Amino acid sequence: MSQQAANGVPHRGKVLTLDSMNPNVKRVEYAVRGPIVQRAVQIEKELKEGVKKPFTEVIKANIGDAHAMGQKPITFLRQVLALCSYPELLEDNKFPEDAKQRAQRILDACGGHSIGAYSASQGIECIRQDVARYIEKRDGGIPSNPDNIYLSTGASDAIVTMLKLLVRGEGRDRTGVMISIPQYPLYSAAVADLGAVQVSYYLDEDKCWSLDVTEVRRALNEARQHCNPRVLCIINPGNPTGQVQSRQCIEDVIKFAKEEHLFLMADEVYQDNVYAEGCKFHSFKKVLFEMGPEYSSTLEMASFHSTSKCYMGECGFRGGYMEVINMDPEVKAQLTKLVSVRLCPPVPGQALLDLVVNPPLPDEPSYTTFMKERSAVLAALAEKARLTEQIFNTVPGITCNPVQGAMYTFPRITLPQKAIDKAKEEGTVPDMLYCMRLLEEEGICLVPGSGFGQREGTFHFRMTILPPTEKLKVVLEKISHFHQRFTKEFS
Amino acid sequence: MSYTERKKNKTGSTAGVRKPFKEVINVSMGDLHTSGLKPLSFVRQVLAACLYPQLVNSSRLPVDVRQRAQRLLGECVGGSIGSYTATAGIPEVVQRISEFITRRDGGVPSSPDNIYISPGSQWCLMNMLKVLVNSESSPRTGVLTPVPSHCTTTSSIVGLGGVIVPYYLTEENGWQLQVEELQRALDSAKGICNPVALYIINPGNPSGQVQSRKSMQEVIQFVRENRLFLLADEVYQDLVYGEHSEFISYKRVLAEMGPPHADTVELASFHSASKGFIGECGLRGGYVELVNLDPAVMKHIHTLFSTDSCAPVLGQMALDLMVNPPQPGDPSYPLDDMEREHIRKTLVHNVKRVSEVLNSLPGFCCQPVEGGAFAFPRLFLPPKAIQKAKEMGMQPDTFYCVRLLEEAGVLILPGCEYGQKEDTHHVRFCILNPQETMEEVLRRISCFHTQFMREVS
């Protein structure tokens, strides 16, 4: 019997309270699914219950989810996965031969020929081999070792795993993680959760959100006074900013990381989402190796990819991988051990990834349809990117950088001082006030720039470019009108 | 070379090498499908139709399959399983899980707001441990965990900077938990760490015991008195074989104890689509139900889960199909019932045979496998065997398993990987196999064991 019970003292309060819980978890925020989204869900419920609103639906332009916005799945991918799920369909002549072959090959690699069996924690071996071959092809023949490929539950899982490995130390020696501002808030959330130190470097809004190494150096030097910066994270193409870094920039980052002895984490999940003329995706690995052995044999890095974005948009499958380069073999053994705690990545996601890296070839039956669907998705995104930049830049008070890639626009909004004051009064931040009003008045859900980070005194929002073109035009128009109304109201 | 590395090498190619067996039988993992048992047709048909919605109109699939798929697709944003879902899971699926829980627990209410679906139950558990374990606190956070236990949880606790406080299950008593042992464990933690939670697995893994209601009440009493958070891992709840065993959920026992326990004990119970007859380990679907948690803490738990985006949609659907199988009258019912019955009969038979065979072998003693996926028999190894193992730089039970693999082609795992009392030895193997496989495994083990014991006597 506990001492308290023996003394007859009644137990008061919970075991797990705000005070007793892990303080790091309290610092975790994730704006993409944060308070504004929760309000949006509430409004949707109200609409369903028949509450009258100035709109009939909530448009969720807060999250990079293509299918949610009506984008159709790629036929070939879904056919193979259906065959994997219920192999009796292999006898159905409505499915093309190439789909059946892919399915058979995947099933042969699964325990008991079932996608319901556990796989190895690092991922099914033949799929990792296929991923390595895909990377080699993408990078002009630069070798990729399947043992350096770790399949994961979305890229996010691999990113967090990598950070877990990197974060250590106490006090002034605590690991600092360099991340761009603005950033995708998974990074700040993981840093908070791990109790690491966030070291922010600003992207240059005036130069199309490009990365300037002098700014990264400034951030690094300042950070060295209070922590031990060991990691440099970069998202290319950028989220939320949409910039596609130039090759020169990528070389500069690699040089910098080498000089400053930083582990480079290259988040490349939007690598197929490149729209602007003159922009091209350069994989960090490719550039690294083209810079010669001085860099390619020493720089330690990890690059991340996913099945959630690009032309597939299969967020719900949670498929992804990371490739680690120049990792110390003993550390790699620890990494392999660490991923075993996850048991294994979802096998359907692994299978999907296999298809993405092994699409139909020109002489295969599914090729024509596959390419048609793929091109249509990417062309639509490119058009929507262009349209978004064009329309937003016609609105006084909204400035929009070109959406060179990825799936978002991150325009800067000028807010009147009265609005800024009102936000302060209400205990919120100005761009949250703005976005909440937009949600309540127009039923459009965006994420305030404060959720991603921005220079002090500037305000932004992130909007996806994913709604179907006609709907997107309506959304852009509504935001434009709202902005003008809002500005007028607070002037 | 570690056991795991040795294992990896062995199950790799041994092309052309002569062995007294044709193939290695791997019974090291609790994985129905890998073992050779088949997925449930209804589940796979529904998932196929969700993956490729053209199948919703295909007469090749039974009507109820098509209806179920259509409903599920309608519950997905944009009508596609490729879109993200709400953080806790597809709302209608979460709702149906809460209804299942209420049904299972004889009417005890369950709120969907307290349920989170993740890529597997261990993922949910990891998130809860993240909230409970403060790696920077002094003294460090402790979690009471059973011996034996499966290693993923203990690895997670250690990885988060927590301290394992082991409590020993009583092997001679069918691996049942004695509450006095919980007290001893708690007392042993004084001055070493600050225990905040008690982790319990029921049915046990790897030990296979099913807890009695009385024992569960004692545990609940214990956690309340000692201010511990209760983590109840119940993923094997559908795999119960003992004639006199019955699974009751911790939530139910708690609720039926009434106040003050029912209103105060903080509980997280875990379930999964990986075990049970559905056996969909690779789809990664599991959930946690939280009971009596502080609402302010729940907000942070929600944010933490939100950073994972959401669980894989197929895993969520597997959970839904698990808790809502075809009902009598549904077109798929006869086949589904037959398939489940076949698996159930197979497992009950396997458990019986394991007991018969192993308990007739001198040097083996197997407690009744009342539930779960594994047998965890005790090995009584003579001093010569222990000596040989020492010479090889291995734990005795590891040595036994290595020899079994080399000479009989059966892959099982040593008890030292799960925890056991000092100077005792065990092995763990999966019993979720087709009958022929189980028989072959038992035959090979018997054969090997007899020879081995002769050699080391």
Side-chain angles (χ1 to χ4, degrees):
Chain A
M1 186 181 262
S2 73
Q3 195 58 38
Q4 274 182 287
N7 292 345
V9 173
H11 293 278
R12 256 185 240 104
K14 307 255 179 204
V15 173
L16 186 57
T17 62
L18 289 181
D19 288 329
S20 68
M21 71 178 277
N22 181 354
N24 288 341
V25 173
K26 280 194 281 195
R27 292 183 210 116
V28 172
E29 286 174 339
Y30 185 61
V32 176
R33 284 175 177 255
I36 195 159
V37 182
Q38 288 164 23
R39 176 66 190 139
V41 170
Q42 214 180 342
I43 292 176
E44 279 178 322
K45 277 205 184 98
E46 290 170 14
L47 280 171
K48 232 180 178 167
E49 289 159 10
V51 176
K52 284 226 81 155
K53 301 255 174 212
F55 48 85
T56 51
E57 62 164 341
V58 175
I59 298 174
K60 298 256 220 16
N62 58 292
I63 190 165
D65 186 343
H67 292 201
M69 288 286 118
Q71 181 178 305
K72 295 280 161 262
I74 302 290
T75 305
F76 178 74
L77 303 178
R78 294 303 192 84
Q79 286 175 334
V80 177
L81 291 164
L83 289 164
C84 287
S85 171
Y86 188 53
E88 273 78 338
L89 294 170
L90 288 164
E91 290 154 34
D92 188 333
N93 58 17
K94 288 203 205 72
F95 288 91
E97 273 314 304
D98 49 0
K100 291 183 181 178
Q101 276 166 21
R102 295 284 198 297
Q104 196 66 266
R105 183 161 172 276
I106 289 167
L107 289 173
D108 286 346
C110 294
H113 295 270
S114 164
I115 55 168
Y118 283 121
S119 78
S121 301
Q122 196 172 338
I124 293 172
E125 190 173 354
C126 75
I127 297 180
R128 288 189 288 110
Q129 288 166 351
D130 291 349
V131 170
R133 258 196 298 272
Y134 159 82
I135 293 172
E136 283 177 0
K137 203 161 155 212
R138 181 198 68 189
D139 293 345
I142 293 161
S144 175
N145 183 346
D147 285 342
N148 290 335
I149 310 279
Y150 288 77
L151 306 191
S152 53
T153 307
S156 301
D157 176 31
I159 289 166
V160 170
T161 296
M162 208 48 241
L163 287 172
K164 263 197 197 146
L165 267 188
L166 286 159
V167 173
R168 59 176 289 285
E170 318 228 329
R172 277 201 58 180
D173 193 42
R174 192 75 182 148
T175 301
V177 178
M178 302 195 75
I179 180 63
S180 59
I181 296 300
Q183 48 110 26
Y184 171 52
L186 169 73
Y187 290 90
S188 47
V191 164
D193 184 26
L194 293 167
V197 180
Q198 180 171 330
V199 178
S200 306
Y201 64 88
Y202 291 88
L203 298 177
D204 193 339
E205 183 159 20
D206 297 330
K207 295 214 176 95
C208 216
W209 296 115
S210 62
L211 186 154
D212 181 355
V213 168
T214 45
E215 161 55 18
V216 187
R217 184 167 285 118
R218 175 212 62 78
L220 177 67
N221 289 336
E222 197 242 42
R224 282 199 167 125
Q225 292 168 41
H226 61 266
C227 70
N228 181 8
R230 305 172 74 215
V231 198
L232 173 56
C233 301
I234 180 162
I235 310 172
N236 183 50
N239 175 6
T241 46
Q243 87 286 3
V244 177
Q245 299 295 356
S246 68
R247 198 209 156 88
Q248 184 61 52
C249 172
I250 293 176
E251 283 187 21
D252 292 344
V253 169
I254 288 171
K255 281 202 183 106
F256 178 79
K258 178 178 183 311
E259 272 161 26
E260 302 292 348
H261 206 55
L262 299 169
F263 188 100
L264 190 55
M265 285 179 55
D267 182 339
E268 299 176 326
V269 304
Y270 297 100
Q271 54 190 264
D272 288 346
N273 299 114
V274 174
Y275 318 121
E277 281 276 342
C279 285
K280 187 164 177 254
F281 169 73
H282 303 279
S283 89
F284 265 87
K285 186 181 173 207
K286 179 166 196 232
V287 175
L288 175 67
F289 276 76
E290 288 175 351
M291 287 168 74
E294 183 198 344
Y295 295 95
S296 62
S297 57
T298 57
L299 184 72
E300 291 150 72
M301 67 170 261
S303 42
F304 305 89
H305 196 15
S306 161
T307 57
S308 301
K309 312 297 177 189
C310 297
Y311 64 90
M312 311 78 76
E314 297 279 16
C315 312
F317 278 79
R318 317 308 296 116
Y321 74 79
M322 73 171 158
E323 182 183 24
V324 299
I325 311 289
N326 292 327
M327 184 176 273
D328 179 307
E330 287 179 330
V331 174
K332 195 150 165 297
Q334 292 297 318
L335 171 59
T336 306
K337 199 172 69 171
L338 184 57
V339 300
S340 72
V341 166
R342 290 299 194 207
L343 292 150
C344 72
V347 176
Q350 298 187 46
L352 174 63
L353 181 63
D354 193 48
L355 301 172
V356 167
V357 301
N358 248 339
L361 296 169
D363 59 345
E364 289 183 305
S366 301
Y367 180 75
T368 314
T369 308
F370 173 81
M371 285 308 286
K372 191 162 136 219
E373 290 173 349
R374 180 178 187 274
S375 307
V377 167
L378 293 174
L381 285 170
E383 172 56 21
K384 290 189 270 194
R386 188 202 61 76
L387 190 69
T388 300
E389 182 200 344
Q390 185 198 315
I391 292 183
F392 272 150
N393 279 324
T394 63
V395 183
I398 301 185
T399 332
C400 186
N401 268 321
V403 178
Q404 295 175 340
M407 291 179 172
Y408 316 95
T409 179
F410 196 67
R412 179 152 168 199
I413 47 176
T414 312
L415 299 178
Q417 188 58 45
K418 284 210 180 119
I420 297 171
D421 296 336
K422 181 80 164 50
K424 197 169 184 179
E425 247 175 67
E426 293 189 358
T428 185
V429 290
D431 45 23
M432 177 62 93
L433 174 75
Y434 180 95
C435 291
M436 278 293 193
R437 283 290 217 92
L438 176 65
L439 175 61
E440 302 283 350
E441 288 177 24
E442 300 288 353
I444 296 169
C445 183
L446 310 177
V447 188
S450 45
F452 303 87
Q454 55 203 350
R455 279 202 184 272
E456 184 85 35
T458 67
F459 310 107
H460 302 77
F461 60 74
R462 187 188 83 163
M463 185 190 88
T464 70
I465 57 160
L466 298 173
T469 311
E470 287 318 304
K471 195 173 243 172
L472 181 65
K473 285 187 184 148
V474 171
V475 168
L476 292 168
E477 221 179 279
K478 289 198 167 162
I479 295 175
S480 309
H481 291 152
F482 166 82
H483 186 87
Q484 283 160 37
R485 276 196 326 266
F486 186 89
T487 307
K488 201 164 172 203
E489 183 190 330
F490 287 99
S491 57
Chain B
M1 194 193 276
S2 78
Y3 180 68
T4 332
E5 283 161 10
R6 205 184 300 268
K7 186 173 68 167
K8 214 173 153 189
N9 289 348
K10 281 299 160 230
T11 52
S13 79
T14 46
V17 178
R18 285 185 62 123
K19 292 268 173 199
F21 51 86
K22 283 218 187 79
E23 80 293 321
V24 172
I25 305 181
N26 181 354
V27 279
S28 66
M29 291 284 284
D31 182 340
L32 251 97
H33 299 184
T34 296
S35 305
L37 292 171
K38 298 270 160 270
L40 297 175
S41 300
F42 178 74
V43 172
R44 291 308 188 81
Q45 287 170 342
V46 173
L47 294 180
C50 289
L51 280 158
Y52 190 56
Q54 259 98 308
L55 292 169
V56 169
N57 299 320
S58 164
S59 54
R60 213 201 153 96
L61 297 176
V63 169
D64 53 348
V65 164
R66 294 187 263 149
Q67 282 168 351
R68 199 71 87 90
Q70 192 156 42
R71 182 176 73 178
L72 283 166
L73 286 169
E75 293 164 353
C76 293
V77 190
S80 164
I81 56 168
S83 47
Y84 287 119
T85 74
T87 295
I90 296 169
E92 291 88 343
V93 169
V94 176
Q95 173 65 36
R96 289 193 288 267
I97 289 176
S98 75
E99 288 164 7
F100 152 75
I101 292 170
T102 302
R103 277 196 311 272
R104 179 198 67 188
D105 293 345
V108 175
S110 168
S111 166
D113 293 341
N114 294 332
I115 296 170
Y116 285 86
I117 304 178
S118 276
S121 63
Q122 283 292 317
W123 194 300
C124 298
L125 175 60
M126 173 74 97
N127 278 352
M128 288 313 299
L129 288 170
K130 269 190 197 174
V131 180
L132 285 160
V133 175
N134 182 353
S135 62
E136 286 154 36
S137 66
S138 189
R140 283 155 67 204
T141 309
V143 179
L144 275 76
T145 57
V147 178
S149 172
H150 71 107
C151 13
T152 313
T153 307
T154 44
S155 300
S156 300
I157 295 167
V158 169
L160 290 168
V163 178
I164 308 278
V165 180
Y167 63 88
Y168 291 82
L169 301 177
T170 310
E171 181 162 16
E172 312 81 70
N173 193 11
W175 292 113
Q176 290 298 334
L177 182 158
Q178 317 281 106
V179 81
E180 303 78 40
E181 169 58 15
L182 289 181
Q183 187 63 55
R184 180 213 60 78
L186 193 63
D187 293 339
S188 77
K190 272 201 185 74
I192 300 188
C193 67
N194 172 33
V196 303
L198 170 65
Y199 173 68
I200 189 158
I201 315 173
N202 182 46
N205 173 8
S207 39
Q209 84 286 7
V210 175
Q211 232 183 338
S212 69
R213 181 188 286 268
K214 178 159 174 293
S215 174
M216 294 169 77
Q217 288 168 339
E218 287 173 348
V219 168
I220 289 170
Q221 183 86 342
F222 180 81
V223 298
R224 187 178 132 81
E225 275 167 15
N226 293 287
R227 293 182 51 71
L228 295 168
F229 191 103
L230 185 55
L231 298 161
D233 186 338
E234 301 177 324
V235 303
Y236 294 102
Q237 58 187 262
D238 291 337
L239 296 180
V240 175
Y241 320 114
E243 264 170 42
H244 309 289
S245 309
E246 193 202 345
F247 170 78
I248 318 165
S249 76
Y250 260 96
K251 176 146 179 260
R252 182 172 188 173
V253 174
L254 178 63
E256 290 174 353
M257 281 171 80
H261 300 82
D263 307 326
T264 57
V265 170
E266 290 148 77
L267 165 69
S269 33
F270 303 89
H271 196 12
S272 162
S274 300
K275 313 297 173 185
F277 302 140
I278 189 173
E280 298 284 6
C281 314
L283 298 187
R284 315 310 303 122
Y287 73 77
V288 60
E289 184 187 19
L290 300 167
V291 181
N292 290 329
L293 265 70
D294 181 326
V297 175
M298 283 294 278
K299 284 206 170 73
H300 289 292
I301 288 175
H302 184 95
T303 305
L304 186 63
F305 274 89
S306 80
T307 64
D308 297 327
S309 296
C310 66
V313 177
L314 290 181
Q316 297 188 36
M317 291 184 170
L319 279 170
D320 190 25
L321 297 168
M322 177 180 80
V323 304
N324 284 304
Q327 293 300 302
D330 294 346
S332 298
Y333 179 77
L335 177 63
D336 186 72
D337 187 55
M338 193 182 84
E339 289 175 344
R340 285 167 183 270
E341 193 48 30
H342 168 75
I343 296 174
R344 197 192 64 80
K345 279 211 173 88
T346 299
L347 301 183
V348 168
H349 178 89
N350 287 352
V351 159
K352 184 159 153 279
R353 286 294 293 148
V354 164
S355 180
E356 275 170 11
V357 172
L358 294 188
N359 284 325
S360 70
L361 290 170
F364 255 126
C365 175
C366 192
Q367 295 298 316
V369 178
E370 295 179 330
F374 303 99
F376 195 65
R378 182 152 170 201
L379 269 175
F380 292 88
L381 296 171
K384 203 166 168 196
I386 297 178
Q387 183 57 34
K388 280 198 170 189
K390 201 171 180 178
E391 283 161 22
M392 307 267 316
M394 282 188 233
Q395 292 294 321
D397 39 23
T398 308
F399 176 62
Y400 184 94
C401 292
V402 167
R403 291 285 300 269
L404 176 67
L405 178 58
E406 305 256 4
E407 293 169 29
V410 175
L411 178 58
I412 65 179
L413 294 177
C416 56
E417 299 207 355
Y418 303 94
Q420 54 200 353
K421 276 213 170 89
E422 185 106 27
D423 295 327
T424 67
H425 309 105
H426 300 79
V427 292
R428 184 192 89 155
F429 59 88
C430 175
I431 51 105
L432 307 175
N433 311 300
Q435 281 185 26
E436 319 79 64
T437 308
M438 192 77 260
E439 281 307 317
E440 179 61 12
V441 166
L442 290 171
R443 189 191 67 74
R444 293 192 194 185
I445 289 178
S446 303
C447 215
F448 164 81
H449 184 81
T450 312
Q451 271 173 263
F452 179 82
M453 291 303 258
R454 208 179 297 141
E455 179 195 319
V456 296
S457 60

